Amino acid sequence: MIALLIRDLQLAFRAGGGFGLGLAFFLIVTVMVPFAVGPDAAGLAVIAPGVLWLGALLACLLSLDRLLSLDWEDGSLDLLATAPLPLEGVLSIKALAHWLTTGLPLVLAAPVLGVLLHLPAAGYIWIMVSLLIGTPALSVIGTFGAALTVGLKRGGLLLSLLVMPLYVPTLIFGAEAARRGALGLAGETPLLMLAGITLGTIALLPFASAAVLRVNLR
Amino acid sequence: MIEVRDLGVSRGAVPVLRGVGFSVSAGEALILQGPNGSGKTTLLRTLAGLQPPLCGEIRGDPEDCAYAAHADGVKLTLTVAENLEFWARVFGVTGIARALTGFDLEALQDRVAGGLSAGQRRRLSLARLMVTGRRLWILDEPTVSLDAASVQLFASAVRAHLRGGGAAIMATHIDLGIEGRVLDLAPFKARLSQSDADDGGFL
């Protein structure tokens, strides 16, 4: 298991591994928003938490296509399925590697990009905490979507359409926690709901992902 | 080591083979032959546990099988040694030196796999079998893109594996000079039975 995690991280950081793809997209979205909606500081401060959350979510979505399809194309997915690792474990590790290379950099970049959006001072800690709690769910749900569409030629569009509705609860509670925090209101309730969603998906979805992947490998 | 009785396999929803039966014990090799599309790959994938059989039974431990597919399963941005070490750790085996010498890869071990030729990549893919520690090798067209010398390397690796109490089932069309029974799959070709045809009509 550890060997698989190390391999996936190595692959992500080597040339063409796709590390930074999500981060670059996140940067582009947040830099472009002030150009699109105007430089009014008060207006930007209102939408900042939502924009940061939406940007992080779309950046995550962008990198899902590579999660399993690269291993499928070169045949390593078949070999991993016949290796003495449970497929549920393989997919959990894949989700973890995806989070470490995509989700975690987004969490760390969010406060820096918050400056560009005039995020109120109280909001920085909230956007970081809510992303830290919420992005693992995005990776785990995304792994499920990737397992569903692996093997389809150019399945990226279908993957996005399938995963988008599953991302909605995470987005609602994550952005709500960050919004309340930025306004100085109590944000514990949406944060707890967000944590519940994340823990639930981590506990249950790997089994569903492994089941659909087994069907797809036939 | 593995015993197959009255096995039927399907590709998609189409049955391709019916009534296949054989057994392979330690030290034996079974060579599958048949024209393209006769179901060799489907049968091997079923034996490896990647897909369930249509009917019949497979007696044997799936944890005993090491499967080598058409595709190399080699990560192009990792070096030869990193590729092998990864699989060795997944299968809980220590030491990749034997696999490197067995397939004459020592000189290439620090090269990135993306820079190898197709034949060298194939050798790396086959060397993976030696770090699995599994007793039954299931090989699908193992000699594709290998030159004559590499085919001999592969044949001697298989012979050493058989001498060590292993077994192998492989689909291949060239003569490797390995003592083994040949199983022609053509007679087992599944014909659409009346009931299958009826199902097709209803669905």
Side-chain angles (χ1 to χ4, degrees):
Chain A
M1 294 285 210
I2 303 291
L4 181 61
L5 180 64
I6 292 171
R7 184 197 75 149
D8 273 9
L9 294 179
Q10 267 178 342
L11 288 172
F13 289 114
R14 297 259 164 110
F19 175 75
L21 180 73
L23 203 55
F25 183 81
F26 191 35
L27 179 76
I28 291 168
V29 168
T30 40
V31 167
M32 290 303 187
V33 165
F35 290 119
V37 301
D40 171 37
L44 278 175
V46 172
I47 60 167
V51 167
L52 286 171
W53 251 95
L54 190 61
L57 185 138
L58 292 175
C60 222
L61 195 64
L62 189 68
S63 53
L64 288 180
D65 196 27
R66 316 168 55 90
L67 196 80
L68 292 174
S69 65
L70 294 181
D71 274 345
W72 159 266
E73 278 162 16
D74 66 18
S76 358
L77 204 55
D78 280 344
L79 303 181
L80 278 173
T82 54
L85 301 174
L87 211 48
E88 291 81 3
V90 168
L91 290 166
S92 300
I93 292 289
K94 289 250 164 221
L96 176 61
H98 179 260
W99 183 73
L100 287 174
T101 55
T102 308
L104 192 58
L106 295 179
V107 175
L108 299 176
V112 181
L113 298 175
V115 177
L116 298 177
L117 297 173
H118 293 280
L119 186 69
Y124 285 93
I125 185 74
W126 283 94
I127 190 78
M128 276 190 88
V129 169
S130 64
L131 280 174
L132 190 67
I133 294 176
T135 44
L138 301 182
S139 290
V140 175
I141 295 170
T143 309
F144 173 66
L148 262 176
T149 55
V150 75
L152 293 178
K153 292 265 182 287
R154 285 173 284 280
L157 174 66
L158 188 58
L159 172 61
S160 310
L161 289 174
L162 283 170
V163 163
M164 219 42 179
L166 300 176
Y167 273 2
V168 168
T170 310
L171 177 65
I172 290 175
F173 289 112
E176 178 66 7
R179 187 188 68 84
R180 288 195 188 181
L183 294 176
L185 305 170
E188 282 82 4
T189 313
L191 210 55
L192 283 176
M193 293 297 285
L194 185 65
I197 292 169
T198 301
L199 292 174
T201 53
I202 292 175
L204 297 175
L205 267 185
F207 295 97
S209 311
V212 294
L213 185 59
R214 278 196 194 97
V215 172
N216 262 338
L217 284 180
R218 274 178 197 176
Chain B
M1 190 168 291
I2 191 166
E3 192 182 345
V4 169
R5 262 196 228 155
D6 197 26
L7 183 72
V9 298
S10 63
R11 182 176 167 81
V14 185
V16 287
L17 291 171
R18 282 247 167 92
V20 181
F22 58 80
S23 76
V24 179
S25 47
E28 274 189 328
L30 181 73
I31 295 161
L32 301 178
Q33 290 190 337
N36 295 145
S38 60
K40 299 184 292 292
T41 297
T42 312
L43 176 59
L44 291 174
R45 287 180 69 87
T46 309
L47 294 177
L50 282 168
Q51 60 179 68
L54 194 64
C55 56
E57 62 171 338
I58 303 171
R59 281 197 199 167
D61 186 3
E63 293 288 296
D64 232 9
C65 303
Y67 174 62
H70 271 286
D72 289 331
V74 165
K75 282 293 165 197
L76 300 183
T77 47
L78 299 182
T79 66
V80 170
E82 281 170 340
N83 266 298
L84 281 177
E85 266 158 16
F86 164 66
W87 289 111
R89 284 167 68 187
V90 163
F91 282 90
V93 175
T94 48
I96 58 164
R98 208 169 60 89
L100 285 172
T101 29
F103 284 90
D104 193 22
L105 290 166
E106 294 120 314
L108 302 170
Q109 61 172 310
D110 294 322
R111 285 263 294 276
V112 173
L116 300 181
S117 76
Q120 288 168 333
R121 223 176 277 168
R122 190 74 205 159
R123 261 161 43 207
L124 170 58
S125 171
L126 293 170
R128 187 187 64 87
L129 291 165
M130 295 180 73
V131 299
T132 58
R134 298 283 176 95
R135 292 198 302 154
L136 177 62
W137 289 0
I138 296 179
L139 309 165
D140 196 355
E141 299 283 1
T143 54
V144 172
S145 68
L146 289 184
D147 60 20
S150 304
V151 168
Q152 285 315 310
L153 273 179
F154 166 67
S156 54
V158 172
R159 275 194 290 268
H161 177 65
L162 297 180
R163 270 199 308 277
I169 300 176
M170 64 183 99
T172 181
H173 286 105
I174 66 163
D175 184 20
L176 291 169
I178 294 171
E179 288 290 311
R181 278 176 298 141
V182 174
L183 181 69
D184 186 6
L185 289 180
F188 301 108
K189 192 169 174 54
R191 283 170 193 83
L192 280 183
S193 67
Q194 197 57 47
S195 63
D196 287 336
D198 285 351
D199 278 353
F202 280 115
L203 295 171

